Amino acid sequence: MIEERTKLVHAFGALAELGQEVANRHNFQETIRTSLHLISGALGIMRGGVARYSRYGHELNMLAVRGLGDDFPLSLSLCLEDERQFLTNGLNPIETSHARVLPFFQVYDRSFESRRIELFVPLVIRDEIVGAIFLGEKATGETYSSYEKEIICAMGRHIGVAVAQRNLMAEIERQTAENRKLFDDLRTTYNDTVKAFAAAIDCKDKYTEGHSVRVGRYSEIIAAELEWGTAEVEGAATAGYLHDVGKLTVERKIINAPYRINAKESAELNKHPAVGYEILQPIHHPYTDVPLAAKYHHERLDGRGYPDGLYDREIPYIAKIVNLADSFDAMTTDRPYKARRQAPDVVEDLKRNAGKQFAPELVTAFLRGMLREISGDAKDKKFRRLLGREYMETEGMVPLLRKTLNEMKPTSSLTYIAASVGGDGPRH
Amino acid sequence: MIAENLSESSFENSSNTFVVHAGDYLNKLSGEKIERECKIRLEQGCKELVVDFSQTEIINSIGISILLGVIDSAENLGAKIIFSDLNAESIELFEMLGLTKHVTIA
Ligand SMILES: [Fe+2]
């Protein structure tokens, strides 16, 4: 009787330790190995193994083995009949010598016999087989008593839960990876659609072919120069690509007019930011502010822009970026009524209008990006690709950019109030 | 590295007999190192393995499992195992779990 009690105390100690081990969940492999030790040590079992069940492969794959030798299979197949019987049996030890009717025990009979596997415990958790425990003979040579089987059941439940949790985690990880892939696919699709849209917008305006695409690229350069994150830089590019989407509703002859348009035509054209906002606003964009960039890309820091005549801080930041990119493209491409200006002249213009039309820190960022490319620090020659080498890398550009950047000290946001001279902004 | 350290501190060699100091390594997963080392010695022809428990106070289930692993290897290779300096509680536990049927208590 005393011996029985000592045995129980010892076994319950192991059970408590196993519960803690499973709850702590440091490392799954170690948890399983420890579990096998605890079962073996609790009841004095010579050898055994713990396996995880693969529902897809219909096989038990060994996670931990003790004393099973090199010949014991590490992967054991179950047929449907075995599966059904184990589910009916539940998490209870099966004596291998009494279960020869099942295909599983017929197939692996010799392996079980040679390693003296006496008990097989299917780990059934919530009506699902998650694994199994194989147990060899006891060191005493006696058969397993019913109380020992009870203890094995209790320990088996802990191990089964650990395996089920692990399976669940693996499934969640797989789904997360799949979701991420799906999200990436969606983003790619969105970006491709945006580019296709930009091309469509540009088609309407034969004199400014490629304008939206270039504004997208310049906006991207500015955002990257501000050290924004990848998604934000992509958002800035998108805002640039789509800023003139409202032009789709403006009559083609106004857009393509080879002369300076009159007031009425101008009023018609000036609706395009608001129209653009109406078009973009109902769409769910992965990046914020794309509709606002369209709405306010003709606003100026000094309040002399349109449609709302907003001042500096009232203008969304992304709209300021697109405005700078848009103006830069207007100055650096030929228009029906105006040839493009030379690069040094454009740099001077940006500097002169910093604080009036443009946010000074954006001009600085843009010029810094330009300097890095021309002076050879940047590998990716974005400006060269968009404007040509001869145009951008003209003599005196590097010293000019250096000088300009030096001179452009941080400007007070109030400077523009005193300013009376307007900038040479884009004309649409 | 660790195995080498263990063999220096835990193993003594005298002809075909090896003495293993169980210490308190046994009661953790790290005890598997002792088991592996014993197995290597047994495979190298060691015919008598002495496990010294003089520095061991309590033996838990992991410790028992490791010792059963050592016993299993020794029996497969026809070697003898001697447990020395066991305290009374441990002897009682070993008797209860059947370990004493496989080893000599000294
Ligand atoms: Fe515009």
Side-chain angles (χ1 to χ4, degrees), chain A residues 113-224:
Chain A
E113 186 103 5
S114 73
R115 300 317 295 154
R116 297 180 62 188
I117 298 299
E118 292 187 5
L119 292 184
F120 173 85
V121 192
L123 297 177
V124 179
I125 300 290
R126 289 191 184 188
D127 296 323
E128 200 184 305
I129 303 169
V130 299
I133 304 176
F134 302 75
L135 297 173
E137 85 275 19
K138 292 199 303 171
T140 56
E142 294 160 5
T143 52
Y144 285 90
S145 70
S146 59
Y147 105 84
E148 283 171 329
K149 286 181 184 169
E150 284 295 322
I151 288 179
I152 289 169
C153 280
M155 291 183 125
R157 268 191 287 277
H158 278 99
I159 298 173
V161 166
V163 175
Q165 268 176 352
R166 172 70 179 189
N167 289 349
L168 205 64
M169 287 299 289
E171 179 66 13
I172 289 169
E173 273 165 29
R174 195 185 61 77
Q175 278 182 12
T176 309
E178 212 159 89
N179 271 345
R180 202 178 304 123
K181 202 175 152 289
L182 211 62
F183 176 73
D184 284 345
D185 284 353
L186 272 177
R187 216 173 60 175
T188 309
T189 308
Y190 174 85
N191 288 342
D192 288 350
T193 310
V194 164
K195 279 176 205 158
F197 232 82
I201 300 163
D202 293 343
C203 265
K204 205 168 178 187
D205 189 344
K206 71 174 177 188
Y207 293 111
T208 59
E209 200 189 345
H211 169 67
S212 298
V213 172
R214 286 191 302 271
V215 172
R217 295 259 190 265
Y218 294 137
S219 302
E220 192 178 7
I221 292 171
I222 297 166

Side-chain angles (χ1 to χ4, degrees), chain A residues 211 243-245 247 269 272-273 294 297-298 306 322 326 426-428:
Chain A
H211 169 67
H243 77 287
D244 265 349
V245 70
K247 278 194 185 171
L269 182 65
H272 82 269
H297 75 274
H298 285 292
Y306 68 93
V322 173
D326 190 14
R427 171 262 183 205
H428 289 282

Side-chain angles (χ1 to χ4, degrees), chain A residues 20-139:
Chain A
Q20 247 176 15
E21 178 66 34
V22 170
N24 286 342
R25 276 193 285 157
H26 323 281
N27 171 314
F28 180 67
Q29 289 293 336
E30 281 186 12
T31 296
I32 296 301
R33 253 163 61 217
T34 307
S35 307
L36 183 56
H37 278 304
L38 288 170
I39 285 202
S40 307
L43 303 172
I45 300 166
M46 292 302 290
R47 58 190 75 88
V50 176
R52 170 152 69 179
Y53 188 55
S54 157
R55 270 192 297 162
Y56 308 104
H58 297 277
E59 56 193 15
L60 288 163
N61 298 308
M62 288 296 189
L63 294 171
V65 289
R66 295 206 33 82
L68 293 186
D70 296 336
D71 296 336
F72 200 87
L74 290 175
S75 184
L76 299 89
S77 300
L78 261 62
C79 68
L80 287 175
E81 169 70 3
D82 300 320
E83 260 185 41
R84 220 179 32 181
Q85 283 298 326
F86 293 157
L87 282 172
T88 313
N89 177 82
L91 202 156
N92 292 299
I94 297 170
E95 290 189 24
T96 53
S97 55
H98 296 162
R100 295 264 154 75
V101 285
L102 273 182
F104 179 70
F105 296 102
Q106 285 166 20
V107 173
Y108 298 106
D109 182 50
R110 283 181 59 184
S111 301
F112 288 1
E113 186 103 5
S114 73
R115 300 317 295 154
R116 297 180 62 188
I117 298 299
E118 292 187 5
L119 292 184
F120 173 85
V121 192
L123 297 177
V124 179
I125 300 290
R126 289 191 184 188
D127 296 323
E128 200 184 305
I129 303 169
V130 299
I133 304 176
F134 302 75
L135 297 173
E137 85 275 19
K138 292 199 303 171

